Structures are given as structure tokens and as C-alpha cells.
Amino acid sequence: MSQTPYDLIVIGSGPGGYVAAIRAAQLGLKVACVEKRRTLGGTCLNVGCIPSKALLVSSAKYAESLHGLAAHGVNIGSVFFDLPTMMARKDKVVKDNASGIEYLFRKHKIDWLQGRGRIAAAGQVAVEGAADTKIYTTKNILIATGSESSPLSGIAVDEKRIVTSTGALSLSAVPEHLVVIGGGVIGLELGSVWQRLGAQVTVVEFLDRILPTMDGDVSKTMQKILDKQGMQFKLSSKVTSAVNDGDKVSLQIEPAAGGVAEKIQADIVLLAVGRRPYTEGLGLESVGVVLDERQRIAVDSRFQTNVPGIYAVGDVIRGAMLAHKAEEEGVVCAEILAGQSGHINQDAIPGVVYTEPEAASVGKSEEELKKAGTDYKIGKFPFSANGRAKAMNETEGFVKILADAKTDRVLGAHIVGAEAGTIIAELALAIEFGASSEDLARTCHAHPTLNECVKEAALAVAGRALHI
Ligand code: NAI
């Protein structure tokens, strides 16, 4: 048993875990973080958000060179891409970011305990390293072990032909036909990467719309745009089997409600039907940590589990499985442990889909407001009426603002369009500050910028948009 007593041991170094470790160290706690990967940063940095964005940017540059530059009067002759260089750049982006976290750990004197962490007892974490297992004592334990791809019965992932997002980030060649199971965020982002690089992409979605958790207008518009880019959709459909016969994968697809099956072949199948909390081998049963009905770790408003001194944040608990949500929770949890109070407004957590153009949302969707019986007003403004968007030749999409019919408070905002993921920050701030649509409408926005679409959509809530 190691004699070093910690104030906090964090298990998992993803955005929830490493940020909590930094914040706790800033507040004077003695902190260690257990990570079994050879690099810090978790799924997001190693096999998620960061490498996918690297490939999305590279493939978008290629697609723009092919299809987007001539309209600007820029002709560059024949265009080709070099996949190994693209992949090597992606790997370097990941490596540089991971070294950044190592630097931050050193700066804040956070110990990285390399190995697999298990809760041996309240106040004790066992770390199984390459050579031995050590037990560390600590006042508090924070579980931030994230999530893993959800499996689907009849589909055996081998990360070669039938892949999760992890395998789809490292294919050695562009597949002729990529079948994506699941029209959610991963399916559309990674489907876009390979479609831009020349793959025929078919997305099979169980429900009758893609991006089913987003506002219906976003789903509809994104499907139209992606369809125009060449992505094919089979909605209200389910894959019942996928057999890898060496060269190809044979898939059987049926209507979601049952009916006649169809057979298609794919070179690669990407399984992207959601993620589930990753709690395997943590020793939760032995210390009596209770899970909720969806196998997530149950926590109270202070992120404490039913076992005093054991906390959890991020994908392992309720709420959106998003890196920035985990980060916010990590910060608040660390502050609570240091004796401060903390609070997160779950309605002000934006979500971004990094397709081309991007889709972004914050707060309630129209469907959610309808379901809750809330009276609301809508203000919508198209990018096609914005001067900067026209100058950029990026006129697809809209900003849609939903405001309370009585108080005018902004309840939700939804964007499809260039830089939607950046623009949404203004609307998250509006929700966090309890702003009204009039507040947004009366805020001076620089001209010409894409953000003027936000101002115009806010004006449109009161029926007084200036440019439509
Ligand atoms: P998701 O929940 O976004 O989408 C899964 C999709 O699969 C849904 O549309 C669902 O209806 C569909 N589906 C479920 N079962 C199916 C079946 N049997 N056959 C066909 N379709 C089926 O999950 P996804 O894309 O796997 O992403 C996992 C998590 O990672 C999400 O929580 C997502 O928010 C997060 N993520 C976030 C990113 C971002 O913020 N840009 C990027 C990638 C992932």
C-alpha cells in the first residue's frame, strides 16, 4: 500500500476527469489521476472529438478544393489527397494535445497513476499497472471513466471491416461503400469524412429522422443538405445482421416496424447507435455504488454517489454525453470538494454536429416545448439573407430562436449553417444569463458577420427582422 494520502483520486483522464483534477489542484487539493491508456485525454482526445475534427477539416479542405473554389474564380487543376499524410496529421494533432495535458498535470503537480483503476474500498483505489498493483488512499474518489460504443445484436465489431468510431478514424483506404448504422452525431460526422474522400455512404437509421434528439427543423434541413452532398439515407430501418465474408460485409436491412428484408453489401460498416457508460472492472458492486435504470452511476446534485466520498461526472452519469458537459461537471465537482458551491444549467449546454455546414443547438427544441405545453414564439432567419454568408458562398441554413410567448425569455436556439458551432456560444450565453429575444435583438452585432443571423432571428421573434 502506498502511503501517499490524496485528497482526490480521479479515475479517468478524459475531459471530465482531467479538468476536475486541474480545478481541484488549483484549489489546493492533493490530486492524482488514474489512466490506463498510454496517453491522457480519454476518448475525446484519443479516439473521439479531436481526431474526428482533424479528419473533418482535412476532408472538407479536399471537398472544397474539388467543388467549392471554382465559384470564387480559383482554379487549381487536378486535386488529389494523400490518406497517410492526412492520418499522420490527425495523429500529430492528438499527440500534441495529449502532451498539453501532461504539461498541465506537471504544472499543477497532479500525479498520473498509470494503469487500470479499481475502487478497492471507499477511500482506496487500486491501480493495476504493467508490473504490479498498488493501492492508494484518498479522501475522495471521482469516477470519470466515460463511455463506450453501444453494441447491436447481430453485429460483431472487429474494428477492421465492422468498426466503431475508433476504427473509422483509422481506415487504411477509402471504402467504396460505407454503411453507417445510426444517423446520429458520429454517423453523420464520420460518414461525411469518408463521403468527401470518395466513399458511397448509406446511413441506416432506426427512427424516421436523422439527428432525432435535435430540433425537427435541424434534422430536416441537415438531411436535405447531406442528401445533396451524396449521402444516402434509409430511415425507419434496422440492420438485423452483418456478416463479414472477408472482402465485403453482407447486411440485412428490414423496415423498423418489420417487413420484407433487403440485402446490401458494404466494404466497411460503421456502428454508431449511441454510447453506454463505461464502468467495467471499477469494483462498483463491491463498494455498493448504485446504478440507475439505464446503468448509469446514480449521483445527487453534488455529483456524489450513494457511497460517501465517491463521486462521478461525465458520460457515466445522467445527461448529454458531451465532452464540455463533462468538463463543467468536473469543475463544479472539484469546487464542491473544496468547500465551494457549484451549479450547472443543463439547458445551457450546447451541442454541435461538425458536418458541412455545422448544426448546433442549445436549450429546448420545438418538439420539447410542445410536449411540455409551453407557449412559445419562433424567430427564424436564413443564412441566404445574410451579406457575409453570401460573400462566403455559404448560404445554406438558418438560425431559429424559440422564446417564451409571455416573458420573451430565450428557451432554445437551433442553427444549421457555416460556423454554427461557434455562433451557438452567443445563444448559450443568452440562455445562461436568462436573456430575452429582445436583449439579443437590441445587441449591436458587427457587420458583416454571420452572427447577424442571430440578431435577425431575435428580431424575427417580434416579427421585425430587417432583411427578410
Ligand atoms: P447518437 O445518440 O447521436 O445517435 C445514434 C443514432 O442511432 C440515433 O439516431 C438512433 O436513433 C440510431 N439508432 C439506435 N439504434 C439503432 C438501430 N438498431 N439501427 C439503426 N439506428 C439506430 O449516438 P452516436 O452518434 O453513436 O454518438 C454517441 C455519443 O457521442 C452521443 O451522445 C453524441 O452526442 C456523442 N458525440 C458527440 C459529438 C459532438 O458533440 N460533435 C461527436 C460524436 C459523438
Side-chain angles (χ1 to χ4, degrees):
M1 168 135 21
S2 157
Q3 293 310 305
T4 325
Y6 287 101
D7 293 312
L8 173 66
I9 294 183
V10 182
I11 306 179
S13 72
Y18 89 74
V19 169
I22 292 173
R23 185 69 188 122
Q26 280 179 341
L27 292 167
L29 303 193
K30 182 169 174 49
V31 184
C33 182
V34 189
E35 174 54 62
K36 64 181 166 57
R37 268 201 180 87
R38 283 200 301 265
T39 46
L40 298 171
T43 300
C44 167
L45 172 48
N46 290 283
V47 286
C49 325
I50 298 297
S52 64
K53 263 79 263 177
L55 291 183
L56 277 157
V57 169
S58 299
S59 59
K61 285 189 188 295
Y62 172 65
E64 187 181 20
S65 311
L66 276 184
H67 314 295
L69 294 182
H72 291 272
V74 178
N75 291 296
I76 53 174
S78 70
V79 181
F80 60 93
F81 64 88
D82 163 8
L83 192 58
T85 302
M86 220 179 254
M87 290 292 173
R89 192 193 79 91
K90 171 211 61 169
D91 293 341
K92 184 172 183 313
V93 170
V94 170
K95 194 163 162 266
D96 289 352
N97 274 293
S99 325
I101 304 177
E102 277 187 49
Y103 156 76
L104 291 170
F105 272 23
R106 283 195 302 275
K107 177 178 166 192
H108 293 286
K109 303 195 173 21
I110 297 162
D111 292 337
W112 173 7
L113 309 176
Q114 296 193 358
R116 173 181 273 276
R118 180 174 49 81
I119 303 175
Q124 283 188 9
V125 174
V127 180
E128 189 186 325
D132 54 9
T133 298
K134 285 202 179 86
I135 305 250
Y136 296 87
T137 55
T138 178
K139 284 190 197 139
N140 298 292
I141 297 167
L142 174 59
I143 303 166
T145 45
S147 59
E148 60 180 353
S149 288
S150 296
L152 188 58
S153 93
I155 319 287
V157 169
D158 59 14
E159 293 297 4
K160 290 195 173 71
R161 282 209 177 269
I162 303 181
V163 299
T164 65
S165 48
T166 303
L169 287 166
S170 297
L171 299 182
S172 55
V174 179
E176 238 174 81
H177 187 200
L178 170 69
V179 170
V180 178
I181 311 177
V185 191
I186 292 181
L188 299 187
E189 288 186 359
L190 290 175
S192 289
V193 166
W194 294 107
Q195 192 259 328
R196 290 171 195 163
L197 298 179
Q200 181 204 330
V201 175
T202 306
V203 176
V204 184
E205 165 59 48
F206 187 79
L207 298 175
D208 60 1
R209 54 185 268 210
I210 60 169
L211 299 172
T213 56
M214 294 184 90
D215 188 273
D217 270 351
V218 171
S219 297
K220 243 184 277 161
T221 306
M222 280 313 300
Q223 189 182 336
K224 259 192 222 147
I225 291 173
L226 293 173
D227 189 77
K228 220 164 66 186
Q229 290 174 11
M231 209 177 264
Q232 291 180 349
F233 296 96
K234 284 184 184 295
L235 302 182
S236 306
S237 301
K238 60 182 176 193
V239 175
T240 47
S241 75
V243 179
N244 180 358
D245 62 21
D247 286 341
K248 298 264 182 200
V249 183
S250 302
L251 295 121
Q252 185 150 304
I253 300 174
E254 284 176 24
V260 182
E262 172 194 2
K263 281 199 167 143
I264 59 172
Q265 285 206 317
D267 301 280
I268 300 285
V269 174
L270 165 59
L271 180 64
V273 294
R275 296 181 63 83
R276 63 181 185 185
Y278 181 65
T279 54
E280 195 188 303
L282 265 180
L284 297 184
E285 307 83 26
S286 63
V287 282
V289 169
V290 166
L291 303 182
D292 68 13
E293 72 292 348
R294 286 169 60 185
Q295 302 304 303
R296 302 170 299 195
I297 295 175
V299 292
D300 62 18
S301 59
R302 296 161 52 85
F303 302 102
Q304 189 162 223
T305 66
N306 61 308
V307 179
I310 303 182
Y311 295 78
V313 294
D315 285 8
V316 280
I317 67 167
R318 79 281 176 282
M321 287 183 160
L322 294 170
H324 43 281
K325 174 258 193 189
E327 283 187 41
E328 294 304 321
E329 291 179 341
V331 166
V332 167
C333 185
E335 290 175 351
I336 287 170
L337 288 174
Q340 301 183 357
S341 58
H343 159 79
I344 295 169
N345 178 1
Q346 297 283 340
D347 271 339
I349 295 173
V352 181
V353 190
Y354 295 86
T355 42
E356 197 67 48
E358 294 174 351
S361 283
V362 63
K364 303 288 186 216
S365 67
E366 209 179 327
E367 291 75 12
E368 284 172 324
L369 293 179
K370 273 195 187 124
K371 203 168 155 201
T374 309
D375 273 347
Y376 60 91
K377 288 182 293 180
I378 304 179
K380 208 169 164 186
F381 189 80
F383 275 59
S384 58
N386 173 273
R388 182 67 181 279
K390 280 194 192 130
M392 292 164 70
N393 209 21
E394 303 267 8
T395 52
E396 284 176 313
F398 59 82
V399 174
K400 171 176 171 179
I401 294 177
L402 302 166
D404 188 286
K406 280 189 217 81
T407 64
D408 193 36
R409 187 180 179 139
V410 177
L411 301 175
H414 309 279
I415 309 177
V416 171
E419 295 172 33
T422 305
I423 299 171
I424 199 75
E426 176 182 359
L427 290 146
L429 193 69
I431 290 183
E432 185 66 36
F433 282 15
S436 62
S437 75
E438 187 177 349
D439 290 328
L440 283 171
R442 291 194 182 276
T443 302
C444 183
H445 287 67
H447 176 74
T449 58
L450 297 175
N451 285 65
E452 286 174 287
C453 294
V454 172
K455 181 185 174 89
E456 289 277 4
L459 283 165
V461 171
R464 57 190 193 98
L466 294 164
H467 290 88
I468 36 170

